[in-house]
Amino acid sequence: MNGNNSNFSRMHRKKRKNRGNQLLNSMIGLVVILILIVGFNIFTNSKDDEGKENIANTETQENIENSNEDGTNDDGESGLPADDEEESNDSESNDDGTDSGKSDNGESDGKDESEDTVTIVPNDEEIVVETIIDASWKPIGTVQTGEHVSIYKEDSVDWEEKKDAIAYATKLPKESLIYWMIKNGGGPQKSIGIVSTRDKSEKFRVYIEWVDGQGWQPVKMDILNTLDFEY
């Protein structure tokens, strides 16, 4: 009877030992699995962070390249070569009128040269605001040939060329003017025209002279304050 109990006790202890080993193995396996899961998550997060960093670096590089393409560097300064910047500055200087107004070949860049050639002459007449002499005035050209005879007949070629020369002096379109009088200017090749705009806001007395082979040329112009005088 005692022998049976001894055997039973040994079997019972063996079973409990086996259960303990199984439980220990299970716990070790669980720990290993947890370690693997944690390691995997750390590796995955590290990859994600690296990928995000690469994307951020790529976007930053693209922004820098786009900025350089727009002509500025990282400091916000012009990305043009030094020579190009000098040419750009030269162009801007010409645009704001600080240079001489001439191109490299000596031709005018479009500035009104007459501004430098106009002379204001004192005039004591009450009807005159100021008298202008412009050295840039040229003969207007002519279709007439042979010896010139001044004609004061409307619709004649000479009459129309007189009107052209007068309008040229005022810098207004011929059709926008009222020609109040065109008369002899004190000589066979001299004439005077009194004109105004159609609303009479601008009034002029223009002196013209004939230049052989080249036509009528303005020589002086009065800016008038009234048309109420004897022509």
Side-chain angles (χ1 to χ4, degrees):
M1 193 67 178
N2 290 332
N4 292 336
N5 288 336
S6 177
N7 291 334
F8 176 79
S9 296
R10 285 196 299 270
M11 292 177 61
H12 183 67
R13 287 197 299 270
K14 186 176 182 179
K15 287 181 180 180
R16 284 192 300 177
K17 184 178 180 180
N18 291 337
R19 289 196 197 100
N21 290 337
Q22 290 176 354
L23 179 60
L24 180 61
N25 291 335
S26 298
M27 292 179 66
I28 292 173
L30 181 59
V31 170
V32 171
I33 292 173
L34 290 175
I35 292 173
L36 292 175
I37 292 173
V38 172
F40 177 79
N41 288 335
I42 293 174
F43 179 80
T44 302
N45 291 336
S46 176
K47 279 292 186 180
D48 291 342
D49 292 341
E50 183 179 352
K52 291 178 181 179
E53 183 177 356
N54 290 336
I55 292 174
N57 291 338
T58 301
E59 291 177 348
T60 302
Q61 184 64 30
E62 289 177 351
N63 290 336
I64 293 174
E65 292 175 354
N66 291 335
S67 176
N68 290 336
E69 289 176 358
D70 291 338
T72 58
N73 58 23
D74 295 340
D75 296 330
E77 299 175 350
S78 173
L80 294 174
D83 292 341
D84 292 341
E85 286 186 342
E86 291 177 0
E87 292 177 2
S88 177
N89 291 335
D90 291 341
S91 176
E92 291 175 359
S93 177
N94 288 332
D95 290 342
D96 62 15
T98 57
D99 284 348
S100 64
K102 298 285 187 177
S103 61
D104 293 339
N105 59 11
E107 296 179 355
S108 172
D109 62 359
K111 182 180 177 181
D112 189 356
E113 294 181 355
S114 64
E115 294 178 0
D116 300 327
T117 60
V118 174
T119 302
I120 307 300
V121 180
N123 194 309
D124 296 331
E125 290 186 73
E126 292 184 0
I127 64 170
V128 177
V129 177
E130 61 183 12
T131 298
I132 295 174
I133 296 176
D134 191 339
S136 70
W137 284 332
K138 305 296 181 184
I140 63 165
T142 182
V143 296
Q144 302 180 65
T145 58
E147 184 179 355
H148 177 259
V149 177
S150 185
I151 300 174
Y152 294 93
K153 180 180 179 181
E154 293 188 22
D155 298 329
S156 66
V157 172
D158 193 65
W159 178 269
E160 290 300 320
E161 289 184 353
K162 286 185 176 76
K163 291 170 66 176
D164 291 337
I166 293 167
Y168 161 57
T170 67
K171 297 183 179 180
L172 295 171
K174 179 179 177 182
E175 296 76 12
S176 70
L177 297 174
I178 298 175
Y179 292 80
W180 297 99
M181 172 71 71
I182 299 178
K183 64 178 184 177
N184 185 284
Q189 308 297 339
K190 298 180 179 181
S191 295
I192 299 173
I194 294 92
V195 299
S196 73
T197 54
R198 296 193 178 278
D199 61 2
K200 300 181 184 178
S201 61
E202 298 180 76
K203 300 167 281 289
F204 309 93
R205 181 169 59 189
V206 182
Y207 297 77
I208 58 176
E209 294 183 3
W210 177 261
V211 179
D212 285 337
Q214 299 181 55
W216 290 100
Q217 175 181 347
V219 293
K220 184 174 71 171
M221 180 174 68
D222 295 329
I223 307 297
L224 305 176
N225 57 33
T226 182
L227 291 170
D228 187 17
F229 64 95
E230 293 186 5
Y231 301 160

